[in-house]
Amino acid sequence: MSEWNLLPHEEAKLLRTAREEALLSQEDHDYLPKIPEQADVFHPHEWVLEAMRRAYSLGRQAGAHRAREEIRNALGVKS
């Protein structure tokens, strides 16, 4: 796991999302889960989880930046 500083519940959410998407993908790969019970124990490739961590972290940073920008605008502070 890389150093994205995600909290355990954030990591769990990403893993749960990856498992759900793998089940819903309809791709015909032997390693993908076909039923919910398989999805519950499925472990996505590490590169998939790493991409999700990066996207989540970048989104969080962008959201924080936008929030600061909106606060500055509301206060009439120029950036």
Side-chain angles (χ1 to χ4, degrees), residues 6-74:
L6 300 182
L7 297 173
H9 76 274
E10 293 170 317
E11 282 283 345
K13 183 178 179 180
L14 292 178
L15 179 58
R16 185 172 53 251
T17 299
R19 287 175 170 168
E20 290 169 356
E21 291 301 315
L23 181 61
L24 295 172
S25 73
Q26 302 295 313
E27 293 291 326
D28 191 26
H29 299 294
D30 291 338
Y31 65 88
L32 290 175
K34 305 292 186 239
I35 59 174
E37 292 78 14
Q38 291 173 332
D40 290 343
V41 295
F42 174 71
H43 192 75
H45 294 295
E46 184 57 31
W47 68 265
V48 171
L49 294 172
E50 187 66 11
M52 292 176 72
R53 288 180 194 114
R54 178 175 168 71
Y56 180 82
S57 295
L58 291 174
R60 185 172 54 186
Q61 290 171 6
H65 177 74
R66 177 159 178 128
R68 284 191 297 272
E69 185 178 291
E70 288 179 8
I71 290 169
R72 286 187 203 114
N73 288 339

